[in-house]
Amino acid sequence: MSVDRRISALADQLTGLDDRWRGVFHAVPRHLFIPDRAWCDSDDGPGYLIDRSADPEVWMDAVYSNAAIITQLDEGATEIVEGKGDYTSSSSAPSVVAAALELLDPYDGDEVLEIGTGTGWTAGLLAHRLGDENVTSIEIDQAVFTLAAENLKRSGHVPRLVHGDGAVGWADGAPYDRVHVTCGVSEVPYSWVSQARPGGVIVIPWTPRWEGGYLTMLTVVGDGTAVGRFSGGVGFMLLRSQRWDLPQLEGDYRRSSTYLDPRRVVRSSTGADIAVAGLLPDVSGTHADQEGGEFHLSLWSEESDAQVHYAPDYKGVAVLQRGPRNLWDEVEAAYLRWVSWGAPSKERFGMTVTREGQYVWLDSPDNAIK
Protein backbone atom coordinates (compact mmCIF):
# COMPACT_ATOMS: atom_id res chain seq x y z
CA MET A 1 0.00 0.00 0.00
CA SER A 2 1.33 3.47 -0.87
CA VAL A 3 2.11 6.01 1.84
CA ASP A 4 -0.69 8.24 0.57
CA ARG A 5 -3.24 5.44 0.87
CA ARG A 6 -1.95 4.56 4.35
CA ILE A 7 -2.39 8.17 5.48
CA SER A 8 -5.91 8.30 4.04
CA ALA A 9 -6.87 5.06 5.79
CA LEU A 10 -5.48 6.37 9.08
CA ALA A 11 -7.15 9.78 8.68
CA ASP A 12 -10.50 8.04 8.11
CA GLN A 13 -10.23 6.66 11.66
CA LEU A 14 -9.62 10.06 13.27
CA THR A 15 -12.86 11.72 14.29
CA GLY A 16 -12.82 15.50 14.20
CA LEU A 17 -9.95 15.75 11.69
CA ASP A 18 -11.14 18.50 9.33
CA ASP A 19 -10.03 18.81 5.69
CA ARG A 20 -7.30 21.34 6.51
CA TRP A 21 -5.58 19.08 9.02
CA ARG A 22 -6.20 16.03 6.82
CA GLY A 23 -4.21 17.74 4.07
CA VAL A 24 -1.45 18.57 6.55
CA PHE A 25 -1.22 14.90 7.62
CA HIS A 26 -0.58 14.04 3.96
CA ALA A 27 1.96 16.84 3.52
CA VAL A 28 3.94 15.90 6.65
CA PRO A 29 3.96 12.08 6.70
CA ARG A 30 4.53 10.46 10.07
CA HIS A 31 7.10 7.93 8.85
CA LEU A 32 9.66 10.71 8.35
CA PHE A 33 9.74 11.15 12.13
CA ILE A 34 9.98 7.54 13.33
CA PRO A 35 13.40 5.90 13.83
CA ASP A 36 14.23 2.60 12.14
CA ARG A 37 13.90 0.78 15.48
CA ALA A 38 11.17 1.73 17.92
CA TRP A 39 8.53 0.20 20.18
CA CYS A 40 4.87 0.13 19.12
CA ASP A 41 2.62 0.65 22.14
CA SER A 42 -0.57 -0.83 20.72
CA ASP A 43 -3.97 -0.69 22.45
CA ASP A 44 -4.91 -3.98 20.74
CA GLY A 45 -2.35 -6.14 22.52
CA PRO A 46 1.14 -6.20 23.99
CA GLY A 47 3.72 -3.79 22.64
CA TYR A 48 6.27 -4.98 20.12
CA LEU A 49 9.54 -3.95 18.48
CA ILE A 50 9.37 -2.50 15.00
CA ASP A 51 12.54 -2.72 12.92
CA ARG A 52 12.51 -1.15 9.46
CA SER A 53 15.49 -3.09 8.16
CA ALA A 54 14.23 -6.45 9.44
CA ASP A 55 10.57 -6.07 8.37
CA PRO A 56 9.75 -2.80 6.58
CA GLU A 57 6.10 -3.74 6.06
CA VAL A 58 5.44 -4.33 9.79
CA TRP A 59 7.31 -1.09 10.54
CA MET A 60 5.15 0.88 8.11
CA ASP A 61 1.93 -0.78 9.33
CA ALA A 62 2.76 0.29 12.90
CA VAL A 63 3.71 3.84 11.91
CA TYR A 64 0.37 4.31 10.15
CA SER A 65 -1.72 2.67 12.85
CA ASN A 66 -3.42 4.62 15.60
CA ALA A 67 -0.74 3.71 18.14
CA ALA A 68 1.89 5.58 20.10
CA ILE A 69 5.42 4.79 18.95
CA ILE A 70 7.95 4.82 21.79
CA THR A 71 11.31 6.19 20.69
CA GLN A 72 13.24 6.45 23.97
CA LEU A 73 13.39 4.52 27.25
CA ASP A 74 14.86 5.81 30.51
CA GLU A 75 16.15 8.98 28.84
CA GLY A 76 18.23 6.87 26.46
CA ALA A 77 19.86 4.67 29.12
CA THR A 78 17.93 1.54 28.05
CA GLU A 79 17.88 -0.06 24.61
CA ILE A 80 14.50 -0.03 22.90
CA VAL A 81 14.56 -3.69 21.82
CA GLU A 82 12.53 -5.16 24.72
CA GLY A 83 10.37 -2.17 25.53
CA LYS A 84 11.25 -2.48 29.22
CA GLY A 85 11.76 0.72 31.17
CA ASP A 86 10.12 4.10 31.56
CA TYR A 87 8.84 5.67 28.36
CA THR A 88 10.60 9.05 28.04
CA SER A 89 9.96 10.08 24.42
CA SER A 90 7.46 9.05 21.79
CA SER A 91 5.31 9.92 18.82
CA SER A 92 1.80 10.17 20.32
CA ALA A 93 -1.08 8.17 18.86
CA PRO A 94 -2.48 10.02 15.83
CA SER A 95 -5.96 10.18 17.38
CA VAL A 96 -4.52 12.05 20.37
CA VAL A 97 -2.53 14.37 18.09
CA ALA A 98 -5.69 15.12 16.09
CA ALA A 99 -7.76 15.75 19.23
CA ALA A 100 -5.17 18.18 20.62
CA LEU A 101 -4.89 20.06 17.31
CA GLU A 102 -8.68 20.31 17.12
CA LEU A 103 -8.76 21.90 20.60
CA LEU A 104 -5.83 24.16 19.70
CA ASP A 105 -7.75 25.44 16.64
CA PRO A 106 -5.11 27.93 15.43
CA TYR A 107 -5.98 30.70 12.98
CA ASP A 108 -3.84 31.41 9.93
CA GLY A 109 -0.83 33.42 11.07
CA ASP A 110 -1.10 32.38 14.72
CA GLU A 111 2.15 32.07 16.65
CA VAL A 112 2.45 28.79 18.52
CA LEU A 113 4.71 27.70 21.38
CA GLU A 114 5.06 23.92 21.63
CA ILE A 115 6.30 22.32 24.85
CA GLY A 116 8.06 19.03 24.08
CA THR A 117 9.32 18.58 20.52
CA GLY A 118 9.66 14.80 20.78
CA THR A 119 10.14 13.31 17.33
CA GLY A 120 9.20 16.65 15.76
CA TRP A 121 6.05 15.38 14.03
CA THR A 122 3.55 17.77 15.63
CA ALA A 123 5.98 20.67 15.22
CA GLY A 124 6.11 19.75 11.54
CA LEU A 125 2.32 19.61 11.28
CA LEU A 126 2.01 23.02 12.91
CA ALA A 127 4.80 24.50 10.78
CA HIS A 128 3.16 23.32 7.57
CA ARG A 129 -0.22 24.70 8.65
CA LEU A 130 1.03 28.05 10.02
CA GLY A 131 4.49 28.61 8.53
CA ASP A 132 7.88 27.75 9.98
CA GLU A 133 8.34 31.28 11.28
CA ASN A 134 5.25 31.02 13.48
CA VAL A 135 6.20 27.85 15.40
CA THR A 136 8.60 27.60 18.34
CA SER A 137 9.17 24.15 19.87
CA ILE A 138 11.16 23.42 23.05
CA GLU A 139 12.80 20.09 23.92
CA ILE A 140 14.77 19.40 27.10
CA ASP A 141 16.57 16.21 26.00
CA GLN A 142 19.65 16.87 23.85
CA ALA A 143 19.50 13.57 21.95
CA VAL A 144 15.77 13.91 21.26
CA PHE A 145 16.29 17.54 20.23
CA THR A 146 19.02 16.60 17.73
CA LEU A 147 16.96 13.83 16.12
CA ALA A 148 13.87 16.07 15.92
CA ALA A 149 15.89 18.72 14.09
CA GLU A 150 17.07 16.09 11.58
CA ASN A 151 13.52 14.75 11.12
CA LEU A 152 12.10 18.22 10.53
CA LYS A 153 14.82 19.07 8.02
CA ARG A 154 14.01 15.84 6.15
CA SER A 155 10.36 16.88 6.03
CA GLY A 156 11.26 20.29 4.59
CA HIS A 157 10.38 22.34 7.69
CA VAL A 158 12.55 24.52 9.92
CA PRO A 159 10.48 25.92 12.80
CA ARG A 160 12.41 27.57 15.63
CA LEU A 161 13.75 24.79 17.85
CA VAL A 162 14.93 25.56 21.36
CA HIS A 163 16.97 23.19 23.52
CA GLY A 164 15.77 24.00 27.02
CA ASP A 165 13.26 23.41 29.80
CA GLY A 166 9.72 23.80 28.49
CA ALA A 167 8.46 24.48 32.01
CA VAL A 168 9.78 28.04 31.73
CA GLY A 169 8.47 28.55 28.19
CA TRP A 170 10.34 30.80 25.73
CA ALA A 171 9.87 34.43 26.64
CA ASP A 172 11.93 35.69 23.69
CA GLY A 173 9.13 34.76 21.28
CA ALA A 174 6.17 35.86 23.42
CA PRO A 175 3.34 36.62 23.25
CA TYR A 176 1.90 33.48 21.65
CA ASP A 177 -1.59 32.86 20.31
CA ARG A 178 -1.47 29.18 21.16
CA VAL A 179 0.54 26.98 23.54
CA HIS A 180 0.61 23.30 22.56
CA VAL A 181 1.84 20.94 25.30
CA THR A 182 2.88 17.38 24.43
CA CYS A 183 3.80 16.11 27.91
CA GLY A 184 1.65 15.46 30.96
CA VAL A 185 1.46 18.18 33.61
CA SER A 186 -0.07 18.04 37.07
CA GLU A 187 0.63 21.72 37.83
CA VAL A 188 0.39 24.18 34.94
CA PRO A 189 3.51 26.41 34.88
CA TYR A 190 2.40 30.03 35.07
CA SER A 191 5.02 30.95 32.46
CA TRP A 192 2.74 29.43 29.80
CA VAL A 193 -0.10 31.72 30.88
CA SER A 194 2.08 34.82 31.11
CA GLN A 195 3.58 34.21 27.66
CA ALA A 196 0.19 33.84 25.93
CA ARG A 197 -1.90 36.69 24.53
CA PRO A 198 -5.24 37.56 26.14
CA GLY A 199 -7.73 35.24 24.49
CA GLY A 200 -4.95 32.80 23.67
CA VAL A 201 -5.39 29.07 24.17
CA ILE A 202 -3.26 26.54 26.05
CA VAL A 203 -3.90 22.85 25.35
CA ILE A 204 -2.42 20.50 27.95
CA PRO A 205 -2.68 16.82 28.93
CA TRP A 206 -3.61 17.47 32.56
CA THR A 207 -2.19 14.48 34.45
CA PRO A 208 -3.10 14.63 38.13
CA ARG A 209 -1.47 12.33 40.65
CA TRP A 210 -4.83 10.64 41.14
CA GLU A 211 -6.60 8.62 38.45
CA GLY A 212 -6.53 9.47 34.76
CA GLY A 213 -5.38 12.23 32.47
CA TYR A 214 -7.42 14.66 30.37
CA LEU A 215 -6.83 16.89 27.39
CA THR A 216 -7.66 20.33 28.75
CA MET A 217 -8.16 23.60 26.89
CA LEU A 218 -7.46 26.74 28.91
CA THR A 219 -8.22 30.23 27.60
CA VAL A 220 -6.10 33.11 28.86
CA VAL A 221 -8.11 35.93 30.41
CA GLY A 222 -6.95 39.53 30.41
CA ASP A 223 -6.56 39.55 34.21
CA GLY A 224 -3.62 37.14 34.07
CA THR A 225 -5.53 33.91 34.67
CA ALA A 226 -6.45 31.02 32.41
CA VAL A 227 -9.68 29.05 32.63
CA GLY A 228 -11.13 26.01 30.88
CA ARG A 229 -12.74 22.59 31.03
CA PHE A 230 -11.59 19.00 30.70
CA SER A 231 -11.95 17.05 27.47
CA GLY A 232 -11.13 13.45 26.47
CA GLY A 233 -9.01 11.07 28.49
CA VAL A 234 -5.32 10.67 27.58
CA GLY A 235 -2.10 9.27 28.98
CA PHE A 236 1.15 11.21 28.55
CA MET A 237 4.71 11.10 29.87
CA LEU A 238 5.11 13.71 32.57
CA LEU A 239 7.02 16.96 32.23
CA ARG A 240 10.44 16.03 33.61
CA SER A 241 10.35 18.53 36.46
CA GLN A 242 6.99 17.11 37.62
CA ARG A 243 7.75 13.41 37.78
CA TRP A 244 7.04 11.79 41.12
CA ASP A 245 8.49 8.73 42.85
CA LEU A 246 7.19 6.31 45.44
CA PRO A 247 8.16 7.50 48.94
CA GLN A 248 10.53 5.40 51.03
CA LEU A 249 8.65 5.23 54.34
CA GLU A 250 9.28 3.36 57.55
CA GLY A 251 7.20 2.63 60.61
CA ASP A 252 4.20 0.54 61.54
CA TYR A 253 0.82 0.77 59.85
CA ARG A 254 -2.31 1.72 61.76
CA ARG A 255 -5.00 -0.90 61.15
CA SER A 256 -8.67 -0.10 60.58
CA SER A 257 -11.52 -1.04 58.25
CA THR A 258 -14.20 0.57 56.15
CA TYR A 259 -17.48 -0.42 54.54
CA LEU A 260 -16.85 1.72 51.44
CA ASP A 261 -15.81 -0.53 48.56
CA PRO A 262 -12.55 0.90 47.10
CA ARG A 263 -13.58 -0.39 43.67
CA ARG A 264 -16.42 2.15 43.71
CA VAL A 265 -13.98 4.95 44.41
CA VAL A 266 -11.74 4.26 41.41
CA ARG A 267 -14.40 3.07 38.94
CA SER A 268 -17.53 5.13 39.55
CA SER A 269 -16.90 8.00 37.14
CA THR A 270 -14.28 10.29 35.66
CA GLY A 271 -16.22 12.96 37.57
CA ALA A 272 -15.25 11.22 40.82
CA ASP A 273 -11.65 11.00 39.63
CA ILE A 274 -11.48 14.74 38.97
CA ALA A 275 -13.15 15.57 42.29
CA VAL A 276 -10.63 13.48 44.25
CA ALA A 277 -7.72 14.91 42.23
CA GLY A 278 -8.95 18.45 42.82
CA LEU A 279 -9.50 17.98 46.53
CA LEU A 280 -6.29 15.97 47.13
CA PRO A 281 -3.80 17.15 44.48
CA ASP A 282 -0.77 15.60 46.22
CA VAL A 283 -2.22 12.08 46.62
CA SER A 284 -1.36 9.30 44.17
CA GLY A 285 -2.88 5.87 43.79
CA THR A 286 -2.53 2.58 41.95
CA HIS A 287 -4.91 -0.35 42.00
CA ALA A 288 -5.17 -3.90 40.70
CA ASP A 289 -7.61 -6.79 40.56
CA GLN A 290 -6.31 -9.96 42.17
CA GLU A 291 -7.20 -13.62 42.18
CA GLY A 292 -10.51 -14.72 43.64
CA GLY A 293 -12.20 -11.37 43.09
CA GLU A 294 -9.91 -9.53 45.50
CA PHE A 295 -8.88 -5.93 44.86
CA HIS A 296 -5.99 -3.85 46.18
CA LEU A 297 -5.56 -0.08 46.27
CA SER A 298 -2.28 1.63 47.21
CA LEU A 299 -2.15 5.32 48.12
CA TRP A 300 0.79 7.59 48.81
CA SER A 301 1.85 11.18 49.29
CA GLU A 302 5.25 12.60 50.09
CA GLU A 303 5.13 11.57 53.73
CA SER A 304 2.30 9.00 54.10
CA ASP A 305 0.94 5.87 52.46
CA ALA A 306 -2.00 3.48 52.76
CA GLN A 307 -2.96 -0.03 51.64
CA VAL A 308 -6.63 -0.85 51.14
CA HIS A 309 -7.71 -4.43 50.46
CA TYR A 310 -11.10 -5.81 49.47
CA ALA A 311 -11.87 -9.54 49.66
CA PRO A 312 -15.31 -11.01 48.83
CA ASP A 313 -15.37 -13.25 51.90
CA TYR A 314 -14.51 -10.44 54.35
CA LYS A 315 -17.23 -8.23 55.80
CA GLY A 316 -15.67 -4.82 55.34
CA VAL A 317 -12.43 -3.65 53.78
CA ALA A 318 -9.03 -3.91 55.47
CA VAL A 319 -7.17 -0.61 55.73
CA LEU A 320 -3.53 0.00 56.65
CA GLN A 321 -2.34 3.61 57.01
CA ARG A 322 1.07 5.03 57.86
CA GLY A 323 2.61 8.48 58.30
CA PRO A 324 1.12 11.71 59.63
CA ARG A 325 -1.90 11.53 57.30
CA ASN A 326 -4.66 8.94 57.02
CA LEU A 327 -4.75 8.88 53.22
CA TRP A 328 -7.59 6.40 52.83
CA ASP A 329 -9.77 8.44 55.20
CA GLU A 330 -9.05 11.53 53.08
CA VAL A 331 -9.82 9.75 49.81
CA GLU A 332 -13.00 8.25 51.24
CA ALA A 333 -14.16 11.69 52.41
CA ALA A 334 -13.36 13.26 49.02
CA TYR A 335 -15.28 10.55 47.17
CA LEU A 336 -18.31 10.90 49.44
CA ARG A 337 -18.26 14.69 48.94
CA TRP A 338 -18.52 14.04 45.20
CA VAL A 339 -21.49 11.76 45.89
CA SER A 340 -23.12 14.47 48.05
CA TRP A 341 -22.87 16.93 45.13
CA GLY A 342 -25.06 14.61 43.07
CA ALA A 343 -22.20 12.65 41.46
CA PRO A 344 -21.48 15.30 38.79
CA SER A 345 -19.88 14.14 35.54
CA LYS A 346 -16.50 15.21 34.17
CA GLU A 347 -18.12 17.78 31.88
CA ARG A 348 -19.23 19.89 34.85
CA PHE A 349 -15.69 20.39 36.16
CA GLY A 350 -13.05 22.88 35.06
CA MET A 351 -9.73 24.42 36.06
CA THR A 352 -8.41 27.91 36.67
CA VAL A 353 -4.70 28.79 36.71
CA THR A 354 -3.49 31.95 38.48
CA ARG A 355 -0.15 33.39 39.55
CA GLU A 356 -0.67 31.72 42.94
CA GLY A 357 -1.43 28.26 41.54
CA GLN A 358 -4.38 26.35 40.14
CA TYR A 359 -7.69 24.99 41.37
CA VAL A 360 -10.49 22.76 40.15
CA TRP A 361 -14.06 24.06 40.13
CA LEU A 362 -17.55 22.67 39.71
CA ASP A 363 -19.94 24.31 37.21
CA SER A 364 -18.38 27.78 37.51
CA PRO A 365 -14.89 29.22 38.16
CA ASP A 366 -16.48 30.94 41.15
CA ASN A 367 -17.20 27.57 42.76
CA ALA A 368 -13.76 26.16 43.62
CA ILE A 369 -13.81 22.73 45.23
CA LYS A 370 -11.81 22.62 48.45
Side-chain angles (χ1 to χ4, degrees):
M1 186 186 298
S2 70
V3 169
D4 200 56
R5 288 180 61 191
R6 288 179 184 277
I7 296 172
S8 292
L10 175 60
D12 288 343
Q13 302 175 42
L14 308 180
T15 57
L17 191 69
D18 64 26
D19 289 341
R20 292 176 302 174
W21 283 117
R22 190 181 181 103
V24 173
F25 272 54
H26 279 274
V28 188
R30 191 187 190 200
H31 72 270
L32 297 179
F33 298 85
I34 304 300
D36 289 346
R37 301 180 87 192
W39 189 264
C40 182
D41 188 31
S42 174
D43 288 338
D44 299 328
Y48 56 94
L49 180 70
I50 57 174
D51 188 326
R52 191 173 192 174
S53 60
D55 196 330
E57 199 67 18
V58 168
W59 184 89
M60 193 67 84
D61 286 345
V63 169
Y64 287 105
S65 69
N66 187 28
I69 305 296
I70 310 305
T71 57
Q72 187 193 72
L73 297 172
D74 298 325
E75 299 178 17
T78 302
E79 292 291 331
I80 203 78
V81 290
E82 295 184 359
K84 294 179 180 178
D86 291 332
Y87 296 168
T88 51
S89 190
S90 73
S91 174
S92 298
S95 59
V96 175
V97 172
L101 292 174
E102 181 184 11
L103 287 177
L104 200 69
D105 190 26
Y107 293 178
D108 291 345
D110 271 357
E111 296 181 71
V112 176
L113 172 65
E114 180 179 65
I115 309 299
T117 312
T119 65
W121 185 42
T122 55
L125 295 172
L126 289 164
H128 187 85
R129 171 82 170 76
L130 302 170
D132 290 348
E133 68 281 4
N134 288 329
V135 177
T136 299
S137 185
I138 306 177
E139 174 58 51
I140 194 171
D141 187 289
Q142 179 65 68
V144 173
F145 173 85
T146 300
L147 288 175
E150 294 172 359
N151 295 340
L152 283 159
K153 184 177 180 180
R154 187 183 307 119
S155 76
H157 291 287
V158 285
R160 180 190 291 114
L161 298 183
V162 177
H163 177 227
D165 185 357
V168 300
W170 184 249
D172 289 358
Y176 302 98
D177 300 282
R178 296 290 189 266
V179 179
H180 179 246
V181 183
T182 69
C183 50
V185 291
S186 54
E187 293 287 330
V188 181
Y190 189 73
S191 58
W192 301 346
V193 179
S194 65
Q195 292 173 22
R197 300 181 191 276
V201 164
I202 304 168
V203 174
I204 62 167
W206 182 53
T207 309
R209 290 176 178 260
W210 187 246
E211 295 284 310
Y214 312 89
L215 274 180
T216 303
M217 185 182 77
L218 303 170
T219 302
V220 177
V221 184
D223 63 358
T225 64
V227 61
R229 292 182 182 271
F230 306 111
S231 187
V234 292
F236 271 76
M237 304 166 197
L238 281 166
L239 186 73
R240 289 199 178 180
S241 60
Q242 294 190 7
R243 295 175 184 171
W244 54 79
D245 298 314
L246 287 171
Q248 302 298 316
L249 302 178
E250 298 179 352
D252 295 332
Y253 283 104
R254 298 179 294 279
R255 296 176 179 273
S256 61
S257 63
T258 179
Y259 286 114
L260 177 62
D261 189 335
R263 297 174 300 174
R264 306 282 181 202
V265 175
V266 299
R267 293 175 178 164
S268 288
S269 164
T270 52
D273 295 339
I274 290 173
V276 174
L279 290 165
L280 302 172
D282 63 340
V283 175
S284 305
T286 60
H287 56 84
D289 291 298
Q290 299 179 337
E291 292 183 3
E294 297 188 13
F295 176 85
H296 192 83
L297 171 65
S298 296
L299 306 171
W300 68 92
S301 65
E302 185 175 346
E303 75 286 4
S304 301
D305 73 333
Q307 308 298 324
V308 185
H309 195 82
Y310 164 85
D313 57 352
Y314 179 72
K315 293 182 179 179
V317 176
V319 178
L320 300 175
Q321 300 182 100
R322 176 172 60 178
R325 296 170 63 182
N326 290 320
L327 293 185
W328 168 252
D329 294 354
E330 293 183 26
V331 168
E332 180 177 280
Y335 172 79
L336 293 175
R337 283 193 66 191
W338 171 77
V339 173
S340 74
W341 297 334
S345 66
K346 173 190 69 179
E347 290 71 24
R348 290 179 57 190
F349 289 93
M351 173 186 287
T352 294
V353 181
T354 73
R355 292 181 185 277
E356 290 72 37
Q358 67 187 43
Y359 61 87
V360 174
W361 43 262
L362 176 63
D363 293 328
S364 166
D366 297 328
N367 186 30
I369 65 172
K370 52 187 178 179

